[in-house]
Amino acid sequence: MQILISLSASLVGGLLMSRLAKKLNLPAVTAYLVAGLLLGPYCLGALHLAGLGFSTPAEVSNLDIISQVALGFIAFTIGNEFRLEQLKHMGKQAITVGVAQAVFTTLLVDAVLVALHCINPALLSVSSAITLGAIAAATAPAATLMVVRQYKADGPLTKLLLLVVAIDDAVGLVLFSASFGVASALESGAISLTTVLVEPVVEIALSLALGALAGWVLFRVEKYFYSRSKRLSISIGFVLLTVGLSMARFEIGGIHCGFSLLLVCMMTGTVFCNICDFSEELMGRVDSWTAPLFVLFFVLSGAELNLKILANPLVLLVGALYIISRSLGKYLGAYASCAATGCSESITKNLGVTLLPQAGVALGMALTAQQLSDGEVVRNVVLFSVLVYELVGPALTKRSLIAAGEIREEGRTNARKKNQPKKPLKLGG
């Protein structure tokens, strides 16, 4: 009973808050996160009134499965952007920008935080500094996708953005695995090539293989059904299956093997959409079905944010440097790589800002980083940055897409029609 009432409060509270956000010209995803903060254990939940929010962080953690499923559907939807026809036009640019901006961000954050260590070693260890640099590369696909959906954004910048966000997950995984391996070696005095090089590559390969297999099997199964509702049900069932399988962990010959949920579900969506001739219509129906799930995902994400970290001066100092250097890294890295690959001026100026949101993937990395000697600092810094980025990032993404002419101004959006650029935009310069 308690769980159902709390979920109901989350869903209704998030939707009501979105009406206020609309009046303030803010994206709905920001409203959902604020609603989560209010219903969380550090605001209304602290009153310990049955059904009014979440009284403890454990109550929010017990609903992690909802967040995992939501991320699976988000990744499946983003996989729809990897259509071969589209990749022919911007695949090279997307890969170049996706890799370049992530690597540049990591190097810049590494440099700033290692410099902080040299100034005052007591504030942050070198191992934590380079680990935070790798975490900085990660971009949250969920907030970006929600803004694109809400305003029916469409155009070259939107298409490139979704591709880059998807590629960013794979790049971030490799950077984090390598950096964390080096960080662990600095503390233990022994480096493991298996941990630094082999395991991240194995995880990516296994994830892509599992996703490709799931996408092909989904297509073969869908062909036996003609009813739209049954095809929708099969699609939902397969996404749930891939989310479940991606949680598997095992060991082969001393190599720890696992899967990336986002990569598995993205690859499932990519393969299915490229071999199925009715995938476009089916993806539209899946999007409609998942709308309440995404509201819950962001409300629960807001409820997970720990406001107590704001009372720690160390976290605020390191967090501020992390946020500033990461933001510069994302913007300058995207700007330079877009200019180098011949993207239009509109894309070059605006893409970097849209890559600022950070959430689930970064938090997962921070959880692993707690194994370091001062891993708690890493976790709290990431929590602080997520609090800032999730509340500010969606609004900045919206502004950038408006500046690029790919969404209409607030109040003029027709939910039944796609937004079109005010003027035709070319990807090339």
Side-chain angles (χ1 to χ4, degrees), residues 253-295:
I255 298 176
H256 295 88
C257 303
F259 303 94
S260 164
L261 183 152
L262 291 176
L263 284 181
V264 172
C265 294
M266 259 188 257
M267 194 62 178
T268 301
T270 298
V271 171
F272 176 69
C273 291
N274 277 288
I275 63 178
C276 180
D277 54 2
F278 54 82
S279 63
E280 199 72 63
E281 178 192 354
L282 189 56
M283 292 299 290
R285 294 177 67 82
V286 170
D287 288 348
S288 299
W289 183 88
T290 55
L293 181 64
F294 290 167
V295 174

Side-chain angles (χ1 to χ4, degrees), residues 143-203:
T144 302
L145 182 63
M146 284 294 285
V147 173
V148 169
R149 276 187 174 185
Q150 180 183 355
Y151 298 106
K152 305 297 185 291
D154 190 30
L157 173 59
T158 302
K159 289 181 171 62
L160 182 62
L161 169 61
L162 293 175
L163 291 175
V164 170
V165 167
I167 293 168
D168 196 79
D169 181 59
V171 179
L173 175 64
V174 173
L175 289 173
F176 176 75
S177 297
S179 296
F180 183 66
V182 172
S184 299
L186 288 174
E187 294 196 345
S188 66
I191 190 168
S192 170
L193 291 178
T194 300
T195 302
V196 175
L197 297 176
V198 178
E199 290 184 355
V201 173
V202 169
E203 181 169 338

Side-chain angles (χ1 to χ4, degrees), residues 26 31 35 38 44 51 56 98 102-103 127 191 198 215 229 268 275 286 292 308 327 388 407 415 424:
L26 293 172
L38 294 176
L44 294 177
T56 64
V103 172
S127 57
I191 190 168
V198 178
S229 60
T268 301
I275 63 178
V286 170
K308 287 184 177 180
S327 300
V388 174
I407 63 176

Side-chain angles (χ1 to χ4, degrees), residues 216-271:
W216 180 80
V217 174
L218 172 59
F219 167 66
R220 301 299 299 178
V221 173
E222 290 277 11
K223 293 180 69 175
Y224 290 100
F225 299 91
Y226 302 96
S227 164
R228 291 180 177 178
S229 60
K230 290 180 179 178
R231 282 179 169 175
L232 173 63
S233 299
I234 290 295
S235 300
I236 293 171
F238 261 80
V239 174
L240 294 176
L241 175 64
T242 52
V243 170
L245 291 176
S246 68
M247 296 178 181
R249 296 290 182 269
F250 51 94
E251 185 176 334
I252 299 178
I255 298 176
H256 295 88
C257 303
F259 303 94
S260 164
L261 183 152
L262 291 176
L263 284 181
V264 172
C265 294
M266 259 188 257
M267 194 62 178
T268 301
T270 298
V271 171

